[in-house]
């Protein structure tokens, strides 16, 4: 039955929108998928637990990066950073959002560290956002743009991997296209994401964010006091060691291709350099766990949920069933391919994993209705990318929440998932349809 995917993803979305804890939402969605797919409760839980190992390394990396971020904040260098940025960015909310989007974009291609930079860069800037009255939903949108748009448009780093998967899967099912042609095919959907970013920065979140609740006001004033205290701290040896630890951590990540090893090296450098006293170790680790623990478990359970959807064969049934009802209409074909891609990626939270699922059935279908290789690549690429923004289980939404919720004032669903869904999935869908008809 294909209905397990549809029902479980809709359940995940509804529960999340109702502010049910995201961990509970994903667990209930996973259980519903298994039970509807014919598994018993015990079989479903066993499959969920076995699938959690797929994100074990990422979850460990998130925890270690959280600890590293707390140590960087402890060094006092964040106050200096805030002071410098306030001096140059005062009143320029749109500019700082675009700068964040640009820095985030580097993480996919130029320096492919994915979400590793977020817990290091963003928590120190929360004070700055409060003082500049920046809407954190705008920051989340800018970060997600950088985590998503570059791999769609630019064939380097994670983008090269994305393009290679599309090209190889299309070739496997009878349609040849070179990796060098993919940027042209995906340029139009990428432009859609740029349009969504500009709308978010200069229209939706242009106004000042007013702090309404007394708790938010108290936290904001506390942040300002911390910032003011740190402004008088001169740049010293501890800050030099901190910068060295950050660069060393980044270098190790690039050399070993392991975020966990890079973060661990950064932590050791901070301890050995005397930036963080050894007797503060328990406190630092506890704070890091508080910041990142929930996100780590979301990643683990999301991996288990994805395993249930794929191993029960429900996703393959959904794709095959939709291909039987499309007929020969190009318009209907593009609409169904993009809609199914959105649904699948919202559930499993990965664009890269969606490509092989869609290509198996939809590449031959595109051949039969007369789509060109470029148009087919645009459809498959866009369909797999749809849902990466907006999915509660995606790195592209979990990453921004990791940084923006460091002080407990950023809701994963309403402040990250909903804004990114609106600003990126809608234009991606529209521009993907356009690409299919003009390529």
């Amino acid at each position: 039955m294909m209905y397990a995917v549809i029902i479980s993803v809709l359940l995940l979305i509804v529960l999340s929108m109702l502010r049910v804890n995201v961990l509970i939402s994903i667990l209930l969605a996973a259980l519903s998928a298994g039970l509807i797919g014919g598994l018993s409760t015990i079989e479903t839980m066993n499959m969920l637990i076995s699938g959690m190992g797929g994100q074990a390394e990422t979850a460990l990396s998130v925890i270690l990066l959280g600890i590293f971020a707390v140590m960087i904040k402890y060094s006092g260098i964040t106050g200096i950073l805030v002071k410098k940025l306030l001096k140059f960015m005062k009143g320029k909310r749109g500019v700082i959002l675009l700068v964040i989007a640009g820095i985030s974009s580097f993480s996919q291609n130029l320096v492919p560290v994915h979400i590793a930079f977020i817990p290091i860069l963003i928590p120190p800037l929360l004070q700055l956002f409060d003082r500049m009255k920046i809407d954190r939903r705008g920051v989340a949108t800018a970060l997600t743009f950088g985590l998503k748009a570059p791999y769609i448009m630019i064939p380097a780093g994670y983008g090269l991997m994305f393009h290679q998967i599309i090209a190889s899967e299309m070739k496997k099912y009878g349609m040849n296209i070179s990796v060098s042609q993919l940027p042209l095919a995906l340029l139009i959907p990428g432009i859609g994401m740029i349009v969504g970013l500009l709308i978010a920065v200069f229209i939706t979140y242009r106004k000042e964010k007013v702090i309404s609740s007394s708790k938010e006001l108290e936290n904001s004033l506390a942040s300002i006091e911390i910032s003011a205290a740190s402004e008088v701290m001169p740049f010293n040896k501890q800050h030099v060691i901190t910068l060295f630890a950050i660069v060393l951590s980044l270098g190790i990540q690039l050399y070993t291709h392991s975020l966990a090893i890079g973060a661990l090296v950064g932590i050791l450098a901070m301890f050995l350099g005397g930036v963080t006293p050894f007797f503060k170790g328990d406190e630092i680790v506890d704070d890091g766990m508080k910041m990142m623990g929930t996100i780590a478990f979301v990643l683990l359970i999301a991996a288990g949920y994805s395993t249930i959807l794929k191993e029960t064969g429900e996703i393959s049934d959904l794709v095959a069933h939709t291909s039987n009802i499309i007929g020969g209409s190009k318009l209907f074909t593009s609409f169904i391919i993009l809609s199914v891609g959105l649904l699948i990626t919202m559930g499993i939270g990965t664009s890269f994993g969606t490509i092989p699922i869609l290509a198996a059935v939809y590449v031959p279908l595109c051949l039969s209705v007369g789509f060109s290789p470029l148009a087919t690549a645009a459809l498959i690429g866009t369909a797999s990318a749809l849902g990466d923004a907006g999915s509660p289980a995606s790195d592209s939404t979990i990453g921004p929440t990791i940084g923006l919720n460091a002080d407990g004032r950023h809701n994963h669903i309403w402040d990250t998932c909903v804004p990114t869904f609106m600003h990126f999935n809608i234009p991606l869908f529209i521009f993907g349809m356009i690409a299919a008809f003009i390529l």
Side-chain angles (χ1 to χ4, degrees):
M1 292 175 61
M2 66 171 184
Y3 301 108
V5 178
I6 299 173
I7 293 172
S8 69
V9 172
L10 289 177
L11 179 63
L12 171 62
I13 294 170
V14 170
L15 290 174
S16 298
M17 297 286 282
L18 292 174
R19 294 185 181 271
V20 175
N21 181 275
V22 66
L23 283 172
I24 302 299
S25 298
I26 297 176
L27 275 173
L28 292 176
L31 282 171
S32 70
L35 294 175
I36 297 170
L39 300 176
S40 69
T41 303
I42 294 176
E43 289 172 331
T44 301
M45 288 303 296
N46 286 339
M47 187 175 290
L48 175 76
I49 293 169
S50 66
M52 287 170 64
Q55 285 283 13
E57 182 180 355
T58 305
L60 175 62
S61 301
V62 165
I63 294 293
L64 291 174
L65 285 167
I67 296 170
F68 190 31
V70 171
M71 296 176 79
I72 292 171
K73 184 177 180 181
Y74 182 88
S75 73
I77 197 172
T78 57
I80 297 174
L81 176 62
V82 170
K83 178 183 176 182
K84 296 293 184 184
L85 287 173
L86 274 174
K87 180 179 179 180
F88 292 104
M89 295 290 185
K90 189 174 183 180
K92 300 176 182 177
R93 290 185 295 275
V95 173
I96 198 167
L97 290 179
L98 292 178
V99 168
I100 289 171
I103 293 172
S104 181
S105 295
F106 294 152
S107 71
Q108 303 301 298
N109 307 99
L110 184 64
V111 185
V113 295
H114 196 37
I115 63 172
F117 75 99
I118 293 177
I120 296 172
L121 174 69
I122 298 302
L125 294 179
L126 295 180
Q127 303 169 21
L128 176 70
F129 299 153
D130 288 343
R131 296 185 70 173
M132 293 182 66
K133 299 181 180 179
I134 292 175
D135 194 320
R136 294 191 188 185
R137 293 172 297 179
V139 180
T141 306
L143 286 168
T144 297
F145 172 86
L147 294 173
K148 185 178 174 74
Y151 77 69
I152 294 176
M153 293 187 288
I154 304 172
Y158 291 111
L160 179 60
M161 186 190 306
F162 185 71
H163 290 195
Q164 286 174 335
I165 295 173
I166 294 175
S168 64
E169 290 297 322
M170 287 179 61
K171 183 178 180 180
K172 184 188 299 184
Y173 298 105
M175 189 177 282
N176 289 325
I177 188 170
S178 66
V179 175
S180 62
Q181 292 177 287
L182 266 296
L184 176 60
L186 296 173
L187 176 62
I188 295 173
I191 291 172
M193 286 206 66
I194 294 173
V195 170
L197 174 68
L198 295 177
I199 290 173
V201 171
F202 295 110
I203 298 177
T204 313
Y205 305 119
R206 177 179 59 86
K207 295 182 179 180
E208 294 182 352
K209 174 66 173 177
V210 179
I211 299 176
S212 54
S213 71
S214 58
K215 181 179 179 181
E216 285 184 325
L217 182 60
E218 181 182 341
N219 288 337
S220 179
L221 289 173
S223 295
I224 293 173
E225 288 172 5
I226 292 170
S227 178
S230 62
E231 288 176 3
V232 297
M233 180 184 295
F235 192 83
N236 55 38
K237 177 184 175 182
Q238 284 192 336
H239 300 142
V240 173
I241 296 172
T242 301
L243 291 175
F244 171 76
I246 293 171
V247 173
L248 180 62
S249 173
L250 178 60
I252 294 296
Q253 287 173 24
L254 294 176
Y255 180 73
T256 63
H257 303 287
S258 171
L259 302 181
I261 294 176
L264 182 59
V265 169
I267 291 169
L268 292 175
M270 295 282 275
F271 273 126
L272 295 175
V275 177
T276 307
F278 281 102
F279 70 85
K280 285 278 187 179
D282 288 344
E283 180 183 335
I284 295 292
V285 171
D286 287 346
D287 288 345
M289 290 289 291
K290 289 175 185 176
M291 182 192 299
M292 300 300 180
T294 299
I295 297 298
F297 273 98
V298 167
L299 287 168
L300 291 172
I301 295 174
Y305 175 39
S306 172
T307 299
I308 291 172
L309 290 180
K310 288 185 286 189
E311 294 298 322
T312 56
E314 300 298 322
I315 290 178
S316 300
D317 289 345
L318 172 65
V319 174
H321 182 78
T322 56
S323 69
N324 294 330
I325 64 174
I326 285 174
S329 167
K330 282 189 174 183
L331 178 64
F332 194 39
T333 299
S334 357
F335 181 83
I336 290 296
I337 290 175
L338 294 175
S339 298
V340 172
L342 172 63
L343 186 67
I344 293 173
T345 309
M346 283 288 289
I348 68 176
T350 167
S351 297
F352 294 76
T354 303
I355 297 170
I357 298 168
L358 298 177
V361 174
Y362 289 148
V363 168
L365 181 64
C366 287
L367 269 171
S368 69
V369 299
F371 277 120
S372 68
L374 281 177
T376 303
L379 280 173
I380 297 297
T382 306
S384 60
L386 274 165
D388 197 7
S391 170
S394 168
D395 287 355
S396 298
T397 57
I398 290 175
T401 300
I402 285 174
L404 291 167
N405 194 44
D407 60 359
R409 291 173 47 213
H410 186 87
N411 183 270
H412 180 55
I413 301 302
W414 287 101
D415 295 334
T416 296
C417 294
V418 172
T420 56
F421 184 97
M422 291 190 306
H423 288 96
F424 296 134
N425 287 336
I426 294 173
L428 262 177
F429 201 105
I430 295 170
F431 280 73
M433 294 277 288
I434 293 171
F437 282 90
I438 68 174
L439 292 174

